[in-house]
Amino acid sequence: MFYKLNKLQIVLFGLTLLLVACNSNTTKQYPSEGEPVLFAEHIAPIIRKNCSKCHNEEGGAPFNLYNFEQVASKGKLIQYVTENRIMPPWPADPNYTHFANETYLTDEEIALIGRWVKEGNQPGYTASLTDYIPPTKNINGTFSKLIKIPTPFEIKGDNQDRFYVVKFPIELGSDTFLKAVEFVPHQKKLVHHMNAHLINYEENAKSDLHKGNYFIRQDQSESMRIHQDLNLTNDDGTYPAMTPSVCNYLPGSQFSFYPHGIGGYRIHKKAALYLNDIHFGPSAKDELDSSYFRLYFDTNAPTRPVSEFQLGTLGLSPVEPKLVIEPNTIKTFHIQFTVPLDISIVSIVPHMHLIGKKFLAYAIKPSGDTIRLIHIPSWDFRWQYFYMPKKMLPIPRGSTIYVEGIYDNTENNPNNPFSPPRLISEKNGSMKTTDEMFQLILSYVKYQKGDEEIELEE
Ligand code: HEC
């Protein structure tokens, strides 16, 4: 029986090779009518491309999906979540723009998964499958270092939001370069967002990086005292140099870095990551959180540093009208911004909170042509990505960026945090999820000729 099975598998494997050979110009293999749908041959490539990057030991999803047993045991549920387009989560409208890190199933792929489940989850020649390696473990030419703090964050089970200001000291053998900084959230259900900046200390400017607190609660400390409490200053009381926004994290977002020497930072022997804000959502029971960072080193200096335009709430240009959404209303808001130099966009980050419904952004060039940026037809607070265009996206100086956001503060919005609805608004830059925000963050490099040909796809 065992022998026979193997023989059958070998035959099937041969058949697959043949199919691969015949269809070498297409990447997807579909069984013909009457042929069985098999995991190894037909389903695994779809799952590994669209699901495994979150559904692995390191990813944000609650269980793993890359091997036959893992996928087969959840077959019916997978059929349901794919047919209803709940998974993979991809809020951006693929009919408007495509992105490098896109995870989106075609109708054919969804139908194939459904057929595979109906036919009883057949394995196919699973021995032909390679081991699955999570994308973060597969980064070439870089060495990573973990940066942790000795005490975990305490999150009391009192259903309150918590905002911390934090210092992660970094000690290295010598000055070097960073390709990227990755944030690894521990309590994934509780970590809401995080912004980290890099502080570089000059030689002999700082004797003890560990003096002072590692973190303090933002809402319990006067902002004037934060730098003293964390002891961020040089020994003589002056301020060290800071590189802003070296790492940001939002719900559902995944780590990736730019190719071709784009991005990256100089880092000194003595340095620190300074989090002006890490936000933990409310918890019903006491929890400890030990989120940490990974540093990815680079031997070369970055050739094209990345900057950002933050538009809307707390940004360079205001939300119009003021972001106030009365109860039982659906309301539209706008942001407008004129780009002051020739840029190439490398990532697009839309941001709203719970009652956001729709997000649209595009640019109009001085010539009158439109450059599409992003359209999210039904906003979902849980999935907020750093959308990377497939190729660098040039926007000429003098173009105007238009952003439109629709908020639904009615009873019909299942994500409304209040029942009955209450007045919801932007409050003094409050980042509480039950207050609102409306932002577009564009990361860019200065334009160089030929940028439009540079792929950002890994
Ligand atoms: C961006 C990360 C991400 C990707 C990509 C992703 N998932 Fe998920 N998935 C999650 C998270 C996180 C959860 C936990 C539930 C939640 O937060 O909605 C989840 C939950 C699920 C569930 C459980 C749903 C339930 O109701 O219990 C299934 C089944 C699932 N995913 C299947 C898939 C499949 C199949 C794919 C690919 C076609 C996929 N996921 C792609 C992150 C992801």
Side-chain angles (χ1 to χ4, degrees):
M1 168 74 184
F2 187 62
Y3 172 70
K4 250 190 178 160
L5 200 79
N6 268 338
K7 212 168 162 190
L8 181 72
Q9 284 174 335
I10 289 162
V11 172
L12 283 171
F13 184 45
L15 215 79
T16 322
L17 283 180
L18 210 75
L19 278 170
V20 174
C22 297
N23 286 341
S24 54
N25 57 340
T26 58
T27 45
K28 284 179 201 124
Q29 307 304 318
Y30 288 104
S32 345
E33 283 290 316
E35 269 182 349
V37 185
L38 303 173
F39 179 77
E41 288 74 4
H42 311 119
I43 300 301
I46 301 174
I47 297 287
R48 289 184 173 198
K49 174 169 180 285
N50 296 288
C51 319
S52 309
K53 63 179 170 186
C54 297
H55 287 272
N56 70 67
E57 286 78 2
E58 299 216 320
F63 48 84
N64 297 342
L65 288 180
Y66 46 86
N67 290 339
F68 172 70
E69 289 74 18
Q70 298 157 351
V71 179
S73 68
K74 293 224 165 8
K76 284 236 160 62
L77 190 57
I78 289 172
Q79 182 183 7
Y80 176 82
V81 295
T82 50
E83 280 175 359
N84 289 283
R85 292 204 178 273
I86 299 165
M87 289 281 151
W90 188 255
D93 177 0
N95 295 318
Y96 193 71
T97 36
H98 290 284
F99 295 94
N101 42 358
E102 190 163 277
T103 41
Y104 187 79
L105 296 182
T106 62
D107 292 341
E108 290 78 21
E109 289 170 327
I110 293 171
L112 201 64
I113 293 172
R115 235 179 93 192
W116 177 65
V117 174
K118 265 193 221 115
E119 291 172 8
N121 305 333
Q122 297 194 52
Y125 187 58
T126 50
S128 69
L129 289 175
T130 51
D131 287 340
Y132 178 76
I133 303 167
T136 48
K137 290 219 170 129
N138 206 8
I139 294 160
N140 291 328
T142 50
F143 168 76
S144 78
K145 181 180 170 74
L146 301 189
I147 302 296
K148 298 183 170 170
I149 46 174
T151 38
F153 300 100
E154 278 177 36
I155 301 147
K156 284 243 169 337
D158 57 5
N159 288 310
Q160 298 285 317
D161 287 89
R162 274 181 173 66
F163 298 85
Y164 287 99
V165 191
V166 196
K167 166 185 76 179
F168 280 75
I170 303 172
E171 282 156 304
L172 304 172
S174 60
D175 294 1
T176 180
F177 301 103
L178 280 178
K179 189 170 172 52
V181 179
E182 180 191 10
F183 176 69
V184 186
H186 168 211
Q187 300 281 1
K188 287 166 193 139
K189 288 219 165 76
L190 292 178
V191 181
H192 169 249
H193 75 247
M194 186 287 309
N195 302 313
H197 315 289
L198 175 68
I199 292 179
N200 275 322
Y201 293 101
E202 295 301 329
E203 187 94 44
N204 302 322
K206 182 89 177 162
S207 45
D208 185 2
L209 287 172
H210 296 271
K211 210 168 134 193
N213 297 333
Y214 290 103
F215 55 84
I216 46 178
R217 270 185 77 171
Q218 204 182 51
D219 33 349
Q220 290 179 348
S221 167
E222 297 158 42
S223 62
M224 287 301 286
R225 284 193 39 220
I226 286 172
H227 296 111
Q228 287 163 34
D229 287 349
L230 295 183
N231 199 279
L232 290 172
T233 54
N234 295 316
D235 292 342
D236 65 5
T238 57
Y239 281 90
M242 190 171 88
T243 314
S245 289
V246 296
C247 181
N248 299 306
Y249 176 86
L250 283 168
S253 70
Q254 287 166 60
F255 172 70
S256 59
F257 50 69
Y258 309 113
H260 317 295
I262 300 164
Y265 319 93
R266 168 180 275 281
I267 181 168
H268 288 185
K269 201 156 69 174
K270 274 194 177 170
L273 286 170
Y274 165 57
L275 281 54
N276 67 323
D277 195 28
I278 179 167
H279 173 194
F280 295 98
S283 173
K285 63 177 189 3
D286 288 0
E287 299 276 9
L288 293 175
D289 179 87
S290 305
S291 294
Y292 63 94
F293 288 90
R294 286 196 189 113
L295 303 184
Y296 292 88
F297 293 120
D298 203 338
T299 41
N300 301 315
T303 44
R304 305 191 65 186
V306 172
S307 312
E308 64 182 35
F309 290 133
Q310 181 172 314
L311 313 179
T313 309
L314 302 169
L316 293 168
S317 54
V319 178
E320 285 168 301
K322 228 169 147 326
L323 192 60
V324 177
I325 312 115
E326 291 81 11
N328 306 306
T329 61
I330 296 174
K331 225 167 138 181
T332 304
F333 298 88
H334 294 95
I335 306 168
Q336 254 191 55
F337 176 72
T338 302
V339 179
L341 71 168
D342 289 328
I343 61 171
S344 294
I345 292 195
V346 292
S347 92
I348 299 171
V349 182
H351 184 56
M352 301 165 120
H353 284 176
L354 294 167
I355 63 163
K357 248 322 185 225
K358 186 187 143 177
F359 193 105
L360 173 70
Y362 56 91
I364 308 248
K365 292 204 239 180
S367 65
D369 290 347
T370 301
I371 304 169
R372 293 176 175 192
L373 296 174
I374 191 161
H375 176 216
I376 296 184
S378 73
W379 175 261
D380 189 332
F381 176 74
R382 287 174 307 164
W383 311 113
Q384 304 197 36
Y385 300 132
F386 297 80
Y387 292 92
M388 221 194 270
K390 279 185 177 293
K391 288 181 176 170
M392 288 173 84
L393 186 59
I395 298 196
R397 175 180 154 175
S399 304
T400 302
I401 290 174
Y402 293 92
V403 195
E404 180 184 296
I406 301 179
Y407 292 78
D408 180 349
N409 194 4
T410 68
E411 199 85 64
N412 297 334
N413 183 353
N415 299 321
N416 199 326
F418 304 114
S419 177
R422 291 188 213 162
L423 182 105
I424 296 183
S425 68
E426 178 186 276
K427 273 195 206 129
N428 226 345
S430 153
M431 295 185 188
K432 262 197 187 153
T433 48
T434 51
D435 296 326
E436 267 303 333
M437 288 181 87
F438 181 30
Q439 285 184 324
L440 173 68
I441 299 162
L442 297 173
S443 297
Y444 68 90
V445 293
K446 280 189 195 143
Y447 175 75
Q448 278 176 13
K449 209 163 166 251
D451 274 358
E452 47 277 10
E453 300 305 324
I454 296 182
E455 308 237 356
L456 292 172
E457 203 111 30
E458 278 138 68

